[in-house]
Amino acid sequence: MTTELTGRTAIITGASRGIGLAIGQRLAQAGANVVLTSRDQQSADAAAAQIDGDALGVAAHVAEDDAAQRCVDLTLERFGSIDILVNNAGTNPAFGPLIDQDHGRFAKIFDVNLWGPLLWTSCAVKSWMGEHGGAVVNTASIGGMSSAPLMGMYNATKAALIHLTKQLVLELSPGVRVNAICPGVVRTKLAEVLWQEHEQALSTTMPLGRIGEPVDVADAVAFLVSDAASWITGQTLVVDGGQILGDATGFRAGHGG
Ligand SMILES: NC(=O)c1ccc[n+]([C@@H]2O[C@H](COP(=O)([O-])OP(=O)(O)OC[C@H]3O[C@@H](n4cnc5c(N)ncnc54)[C@H](OP(=O)(O)O)[C@@H]3O)[C@@H](O)[C@H]2O)c1
């Protein structure tokens, strides 16, 4: 089976930079037409201009019903299908201990990180994939599978997204495959607080010796949405250089490394 995507169309939410933009570039490289969203039309256009292939930038707040449906409609008008949806937009306005959170931050983070993926999946399925089939990938996080200081609220959204991924598999079967990816720390704006001040120290602890680059995640997504993954659904693919296994330093020392 091939990882070729020629003739297919993909919507990637939150694709103005970081992991989403890399996914857009990677899927276009595989031959897909790509639709990239941002809250801002100029940023969406700028992202589309960086794609080597057929690309459209669309302004859409990921948690707004009208914006999601408009983007789906524009995609069908321009390209005639929606074969792939990557629910990638994410945010973290709730960095800190859980008991210091408030309802405003709770509502915003769950709106973007959880309602967004459900809303866009629903629009794509009702407008196209329900009849024609398709592949959905949700960008979760290794935080959704573990605990980390100050990340409790964000991680709760990603844990819920992993659950939602599995529920959708059953509800949308057999035509639509739904999988999740769980990146570790990747070099993007969103995660700056996790790596910028201490990249070297963090990299040393990582089993594969470095933090992630957006393209590491994009390559995994390109596989999951392709025919090479045509019998894979409901899975949570960890793309983290081994980070979730813990600090490798002491283990290496045991081997004189
Ligand atoms: N970087 C990491 O270490 C890491 C690890 C695990 C998981 N993730 C997940 O990976 C995904 C991508 O994050 P990233 O690290 O690439 O972050 P990023 O570089 O900050 O990019 C975030 C993207 O999401 C968009 N976005 C944010 N809020 C939005 C909203 N309300 N509506 C529409 N778009 C919105 C931003 O677009 P505009 O600002 O242009 O609107 C931007 O394109 C997120 O789901 C994040 O949780 C990241």
Side-chain angles (χ1 to χ4, degrees), residues 66-224:
D66 292 350
Q69 190 58 51
R70 176 175 165 271
C71 180
V72 160
D73 292 343
L74 284 172
T75 303
L76 289 173
E77 237 170 71
R78 166 83 177 259
F79 296 117
S81 69
I82 303 169
D83 312 287
I84 296 160
L85 170 66
V86 185
N87 287 307
N88 173 75
T91 190
N92 186 8
F95 190 72
L98 277 177
I99 58 167
D100 291 341
Q101 301 308 318
D102 56 38
H103 188 245
R105 276 179 279 174
F106 174 89
K108 177 164 186 190
I109 196 169
F110 270 87
D111 247 17
V112 173
N113 292 6
L114 193 65
W115 171 241
L118 182 52
L119 169 65
W120 285 68
T121 303
S122 167
C123 289
V125 166
K126 288 176 182 166
S127 298
W128 179 266
M129 288 184 182
E131 197 174 329
H132 306 275
V136 177
V137 172
N138 295 320
T139 307
S141 166
I142 57 169
M145 307 168 89
S146 57
S147 302
L150 311 177
M151 296 287 283
M153 187 75 88
Y154 173 85
N155 287 351
T157 68
K158 297 301 190 179
L161 184 56
I162 292 168
H163 184 84
L164 184 143
T165 299
K166 295 175 184 169
Q167 178 80 21
L168 283 170
V169 166
L170 299 166
E171 294 187 11
L172 303 179
S173 62
V176 180
R177 295 189 299 109
V178 191
N179 289 290
I181 43 159
C182 285
V185 174
V186 178
R187 190 189 309 281
T188 70
K189 187 172 171 206
L190 179 74
E192 266 172 6
V193 65
L194 301 177
W195 59 268
Q196 204 171 40
E197 300 287 313
H198 49 274
E199 181 180 344
Q200 191 53 51
L202 175 61
S203 295
T204 307
T205 69
M206 306 269 285
L208 292 184
R210 64 173 176 86
I211 67 168
E213 303 296 336
V215 70
D216 293 315
V217 183
D219 281 339
V221 172
F223 164 68
L224 281 175

